Amino acid sequence: LLSIGVLFLAGSLWSALANDVYSFMLARFIGGIAIGVSTVAAPLYISEISPPESRGRLAGMFQFNIVFGILVAYASNFWLSGTGANDWRWMLGVAAFPSLIFTVLTFVIPESPRWLISRKGDLQAAIKILRQITPHATEEEISATAAKIASHSSAGKEKASSFWSRRLTTPILLAFLIAFFNQLSGVNAILYFSKRIFEMTGLGEQAALLQSVGIGVTNLIFTYVGLWLTDRVGRKTLMYVGSFGYILSLGMVAWAFFTQHFAMVPACIFAFIAAHAVGQGAVIWVFISEVFPNEHRATGQALGSFTHWIFAAIITTVFPIVAGSSKHASMVSNPGYIFAFFAFMMFLQLIWVKFMMPETKGVALEDLEGHLTMKH
């Protein structure tokens, strides 16, 4: 987590000060590494220090803060736009301030008790931290939790299976598919190109930029709703809500572009963002951090993050070409086609949620292992 803060700080300052395109690309690459590592380390850490009954809300705070950051970035870009020829440098450079705050704060957080037991074998240090993170638990409950972690850690070492094994088939598929469907909704393409999408409907540049700020506000509000619901109604219920919302909103956007009823596109995009925030956005990082055994959780989180960002890169590269919103597009198509494709993929997600996705609400991480891993 400390290294993430350093990378974010270096990437943002370098991006702002870059004096040629290759230096700028390297700076953005450093920032990209920080983002990738954060989607592994942060949900992993949160899930391991959270009590089962509030794990969804606490791990969901990771997504909430991503969304809050997106909103701040939209607002910051809006305020800084038009301030001069180098306004883009300020738009990127201001990220150094939260990066510095994050880096400093990492010095005051404790190690994960599960990491201390499974990797270091330090039971006493783990118990001390368990007292910090579960202050209302009795000494007997804390000792029982530490003993359960130690027992599962020892059992995992005895099995000594590699990550790519038959035993982990189900968790691997679950992590891959939830990340795959997350990006095949088109969410990152819509977030990245929201201003262009609104401009394609006839909105002026400033109006389109202001609509993008509205997306950030919608995302924040409904992410909080998802955060509040995830430990109450469960992960699977939220995925149902999100899937139906995706299908309806994306289908309507596709219909609007095909029929040139552009006036309804902004409202449908806002509905799409709301569906994502309540469903996939609230669930993905929580769910991936829950489905793997302690000894393979970091690798499993990395698999989910890798899948997420690879497909994010593919979709956001393809989207402006297929949608015809890029001045360098090699093919110009009606944007309705790609929105219809996203809607179809969300129909497939709905089937996956119905028949494959387990409910993980309120179950201890060590207990989930027995449900989701296959015996030798």
Side-chain angles (χ1 to χ4, degrees), residues 77-140:
N77 290 347
F78 179 74
W79 290 326
L80 291 170
S81 65
T83 56
N86 291 317
D87 56 0
W88 64 270
R89 293 185 182 273
W90 286 103
M91 291 179 184
L92 296 170
V94 293
F97 293 106
S99 301
L100 180 61
I101 294 169
F102 174 83
T103 303
V104 172
L105 290 177
T106 56
F107 286 100
V108 301
I109 60 174
E111 286 288 1
S112 156
R114 286 177 168 84
W115 182 83
L116 285 170
I117 292 173
S118 63
R119 297 294 181 181
K120 292 295 184 179
D122 195 342
L123 188 63
Q124 293 307 310
I127 289 174
K128 183 178 178 181
I129 293 169
L130 284 169
R131 289 194 189 103
Q132 285 182 261
I133 61 180
T134 54
H136 301 296
T138 65
E139 283 298 317
E140 291 76 14

Side-chain angles (χ1 to χ4, degrees), residues 34-278:
I35 291 170
V37 177
S38 72
T39 56
V40 176
L44 174 70
Y45 177 80
I46 296 168
S47 71
E48 292 192 347
I49 64 168
S50 303
E53 66 276 7
S54 55
R55 189 173 59 239
R57 290 195 302 277
L58 292 174
M61 284 299 297
F62 174 72
Q63 177 68 14
F64 180 84
N65 283 306
I66 289 176
V67 170
F68 180 68
I70 291 171
L71 174 59
V72 171
Y74 279 145
S76 172
N77 290 347
F78 179 74
W79 290 326
L80 291 170
S81 65
T83 56
N86 291 317
D87 56 0
W88 64 270
R89 293 185 182 273
W90 286 103
M91 291 179 184
L92 296 170
V94 293
F97 293 106
S99 301
L100 180 61
I101 294 169
F102 174 83
T103 303
V104 172
L105 290 177
T106 56
F107 286 100
V108 301
I109 60 174
E111 286 288 1
S112 156
R114 286 177 168 84
W115 182 83
L116 285 170
I117 292 173
S118 63
R119 297 294 181 181
K120 292 295 184 179
D122 195 342
L123 188 63
Q124 293 307 310
I127 289 174
K128 183 178 178 181
I129 293 169
L130 284 169
R131 289 194 189 103
Q132 285 182 261
I133 61 180
T134 54
H136 301 296
T138 65
E139 283 298 317
E140 291 76 14
E141 291 171 333
I142 290 171
S143 298
T145 299
K148 180 185 286 188
I149 296 170
S151 174
H152 280 261
S153 176
S154 299
K157 290 176 181 177
E158 287 173 9
K159 292 171 186 173
S161 62
S162 67
F163 180 78
W164 300 104
S165 64
R166 183 172 177 271
R167 174 175 170 251
L168 296 182
T169 298
T170 298
I172 288 172
L173 278 175
L174 291 173
F176 173 83
L177 287 172
I178 196 170
F180 170 80
F181 283 124
N182 181 281
Q183 287 306 303
L184 268 293
S185 70
V187 62
N188 273 19
I190 291 170
L191 288 173
Y192 295 165
F193 297 106
S194 59
K195 178 172 167 286
R196 291 191 192 181
I197 294 169
F198 291 137
E199 286 175 347
M200 285 190 288
T201 68
L203 289 175
E205 183 176 351
Q206 280 299 103
L209 192 58
L210 191 58
Q211 290 276 14
S212 296
V213 177
I215 281 182
V217 173
T218 303
N219 206 358
L220 183 70
I221 292 170
F222 282 91
T223 295
Y224 181 80
V225 173
L227 192 67
W228 185 78
L229 289 173
T230 186
D231 283 320
R232 289 174 168 81
V233 303
R235 289 48 156 164
K236 194 163 182 173
T237 300
L238 291 185
M239 290 292 288
Y240 277 128
V241 172
S243 296
F244 283 115
Y246 277 143
I247 294 166
L248 290 173
S249 58
L250 289 168
M252 292 300 290
V253 172
W255 181 83
F257 275 110
F258 284 133
T259 60
Q260 298 188 344
H261 286 77
F262 298 132
M264 65 185 297
V265 171
C268 293
I269 293 293
F270 277 58
F272 166 84
I273 294 298
H276 171 79
V278 169

